[in-house]
């Protein structure tokens, strides 16, 4: 469960707060009473959840680039956070093939800049206690196993995006051992962890080259849905699932320090790792309309066929487990997007979904 009393008045810095996951996290933390500062580029899409839910009115928003060490340091010294959640990234696989230098610069050097700024801030007396670097399930060296990857499995990544996230994990490991060593609370009282989530879905995602947004655009425009790899199996989950994991992890790190400073998987139950084609059919059934599908023959880039996470560690040590099935998650996506098309108050819709999720998590 999320302890609302813990988050009341906590100062939280989120990088990437204008993105899809970052905007949902800002809404949730604001609802819990936290004081949120965001550092990010402008929203990456138009429309965006950040704008349509009025997230900018709920947080102190700093527009900046994690590729600038100076700007990152200024933001952290200005926010003086208790907790840092680093989510800023170039998050798209196909984009990374076309822009590999940008992808590695944002995802690797951006992580270095954030962790270095944390180190300098703590040396200057700012009491940062917990830092989470959010990466991806794609950071593992994918061997197309039928079982889920565990946190100690080998890192890798074929495409520039996946590989850059594996590099970001190695940067995190280096800073943890070099500057925030386990059990050392002399000069640096910082617990540093990384979080690896599955393929997230949810309302407010308008990114290009993501399955759910591409499907909804096709449905609205009355054209066939293009699918690159219909048989590819992914660990689909609603965006609130890993965010809940990050919040639970941050609290544990704050309270118990280095005991939780490691890598963590947050993915769905095994039965919710479904093929792309299955997901598209279920989404269309929930929407109540199906324009049909066709194979996207324009894609020649390598993509993994099978990917699954083992989340035993989070279940046993954090008490975290997935709440919504993939069918329930798809229903929430449809609910959100159809409300948006009706012109509803999307902050209210989003907060209602968060409140429902928290109620169900509480039993």
């Amino acid at each position: 469960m999320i302890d609302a009393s813990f988050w009341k008045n906590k100062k939280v810095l989120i990088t990437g707060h204008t993105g899809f996951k970052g905007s949902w996290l800002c809404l949730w933390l604001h609802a819990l009473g936290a004081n949120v500062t965001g550092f990010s580029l402008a929203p990456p899409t138009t429309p965006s959840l950040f704008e349509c839910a009025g997230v900018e009115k709920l947080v102190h928003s700093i527009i900046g680039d994690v590729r600038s060490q100076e700007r990152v340091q200024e933001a952290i010294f200005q926010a003086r956070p208790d907790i840092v959640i680093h989510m800023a990234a170039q998050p798209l696989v196909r984009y990374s093939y076309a822009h590999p230098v940008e992808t590695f610069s944002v995802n690797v050097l951006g992580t270095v800049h954030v962790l270095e700024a944390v180190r300098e801030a703590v040396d200057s007396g700012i009491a940062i206690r917990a830092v989470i670097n959010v990466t991806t399930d794609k950071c593992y060296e994918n061997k197309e196993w039928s079982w889920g990857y565990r946190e100690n499995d080998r890192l890798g990544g074929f495409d520039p995006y996946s590989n850059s996230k594996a590099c970001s994990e190695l940067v995190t490991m280096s800073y943890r051992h070099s500057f925030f060593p386990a059990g050392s609370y002399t000069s640096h009282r910082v617990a540093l962890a990384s979080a690896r989530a599955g393929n997230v879905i949810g309302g407010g995602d308008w990114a290009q080259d993501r399955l759910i947004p591409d499907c909804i655009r096709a449905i609205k425009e009355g054209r066939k849905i293009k699918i690159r790899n219909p048989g590819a199996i992914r660990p689909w989950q609603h965006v609130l699932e890993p965010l809940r994991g990050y919040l639970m992890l941050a609290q544990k790190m704050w309270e118990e320090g280095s005991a939780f400073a490691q890598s963590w998987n947050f993915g769905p139950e095994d039965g919710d790792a479904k093929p792309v084609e299955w997901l598209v059919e279920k989404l269309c059934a929930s929407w109540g309309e199906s324009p049909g599908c066709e194979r996207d023959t324009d894609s020649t880039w390598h993509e993994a066929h099978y990917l699954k996470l083992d989340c035993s560690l989070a279940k046993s040590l954090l008490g975290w487990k997935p709440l919504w099935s993939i069918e329930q998650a798809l229903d929430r996506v449809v609910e959100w997007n159809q409300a948006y098309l009706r012109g509803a108050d999307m902050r209210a819709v989003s907060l209602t979904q968060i409140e429902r999720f928290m109620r169900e998590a509480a039993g």
Side-chain angles (χ1 to χ4, degrees):
M1 291 177 59
I2 303 298
D3 183 355
S5 63
F6 170 81
W7 290 101
K8 182 72 173 177
N9 296 322
K10 280 289 187 302
K11 293 181 291 184
V12 184
L13 176 74
I14 301 172
T15 70
H17 71 296
T18 62
F20 165 56
K21 288 177 72 175
S23 294
W24 273 104
L25 185 56
C26 286
L27 287 168
W28 199 339
L29 283 169
H30 183 268
L32 291 170
N35 296 319
V36 181
T37 298
F39 178 85
S40 180
L41 296 174
T45 62
T46 302
S48 69
L49 176 61
F50 185 76
E51 293 174 334
C52 76
V55 178
E56 73 277 5
K57 298 176 182 177
L58 306 179
V59 304
H60 175 57
S61 183
I62 302 172
I63 300 302
D65 193 327
V66 292
R67 289 174 290 183
S68 169
Q69 172 67 38
E70 182 180 358
R71 293 286 287 124
V72 173
Q73 183 173 326
E74 288 173 355
I76 288 183
F77 273 73
Q78 180 179 337
R80 304 183 67 83
D82 303 308
I83 294 168
V84 175
I85 302 177
H86 174 44
M87 304 178 74
Q90 191 300 96
L92 302 174
V93 172
R94 287 220 290 187
Y95 185 93
S96 76
Y97 280 109
H99 305 278
V101 174
E102 177 187 344
T103 299
F104 279 100
S105 180
V106 173
N107 294 351
V108 184
L109 279 179
T111 301
V112 173
H113 292 162
V114 169
L115 297 184
E116 183 64 12
V118 167
R119 185 170 75 93
E120 293 175 358
V122 174
D123 279 342
S124 299
I126 298 175
I128 301 171
R129 289 275 293 277
V131 180
I132 298 175
N133 178 27
V134 175
T135 63
T136 175
D137 59 346
K138 296 176 182 63
C139 68
Y140 293 104
E141 181 180 10
N142 194 329
K143 298 180 181 295
E144 305 287 350
W145 288 331
S146 59
W147 56 87
Y149 292 92
R150 293 184 176 181
E151 288 83 354
N152 58 357
D153 282 324
R154 183 171 178 172
L155 299 172
F158 189 100
D159 58 89
Y161 166 72
S162 303
N163 192 276
S164 71
K165 283 299 195 176
C167 292
S168 179
E169 286 279 351
L170 292 173
V171 167
T172 305
M173 188 183 307
S174 175
Y175 265 78
R176 182 164 55 238
H177 291 300
S178 300
F179 305 115
F180 312 128
S184 172
Y185 288 109
T186 54
S187 59
H188 294 97
R189 297 179 58 86
V190 181
L192 172 60
S194 61
R196 306 160 181 175
N199 287 48
V200 295
I201 62 175
D205 187 4
W206 280 281
Q208 295 293 327
D209 288 326
R210 280 201 187 129
L211 181 62
I212 298 298
D214 287 348
C215 288
I216 293 174
R217 277 189 285 264
I219 292 171
K220 290 193 296 183
E221 295 167 12
R223 55 178 173 82
K224 288 188 175 181
I225 299 169
K226 287 189 174 184
I227 304 176
R228 294 196 301 270
N229 297 290
I233 296 172
R234 297 287 185 270
W236 312 102
Q237 60 187 155
H238 194 275
V239 64
L240 296 181
E241 302 282 9
L243 295 185
R244 175 167 161 258
Y246 307 161
L247 294 175
M248 295 174 70
L249 173 59
Q251 180 176 345
K252 284 288 189 180
M253 292 164 67
W254 175 278
E255 294 171 344
E256 303 188 37
S258 61
F260 289 84
Q262 59 187 84
S263 299
W264 300 84
N265 286 340
F266 296 102
E269 301 290 2
D270 286 353
D272 284 331
K274 298 290 189 181
V276 167
E277 191 170 30
W278 181 96
L279 196 79
V280 171
E281 291 174 355
K282 288 293 184 182
L283 174 69
C284 291
S286 182
W287 193 281
E289 184 177 347
S290 178
C293 301
E294 62 182 3
R295 187 69 179 267
D296 183 355
T297 58
D298 294 334
S299 178
T300 58
W301 306 115
H302 171 272
E303 291 189 79
H305 174 73
Y306 196 87
L307 184 60
K308 192 163 60 172
L309 293 175
D310 184 325
C311 303
S312 301
L313 189 67
K315 291 178 179 179
S316 61
L317 297 185
L318 292 177
W320 174 93
K321 65 178 181 179
L323 181 62
W324 284 343
S325 68
I326 184 58
E327 290 88 354
Q328 290 173 306
L330 286 169
D331 286 344
R332 300 292 85 76
V333 173
V334 169
E335 174 187 83
W336 195 100
N337 280 279
Q338 291 184 343
Y340 174 76
L341 292 176
R342 293 194 304 269
D345 179 338
M346 297 319 298
R347 184 193 296 175
V349 171
S350 302
L351 290 173
T352 296
Q353 289 197 346
I354 290 171
E355 290 165 4
R356 179 191 306 171
F357 187 82
M358 290 181 67
R359 284 198 307 271
E360 293 181 20

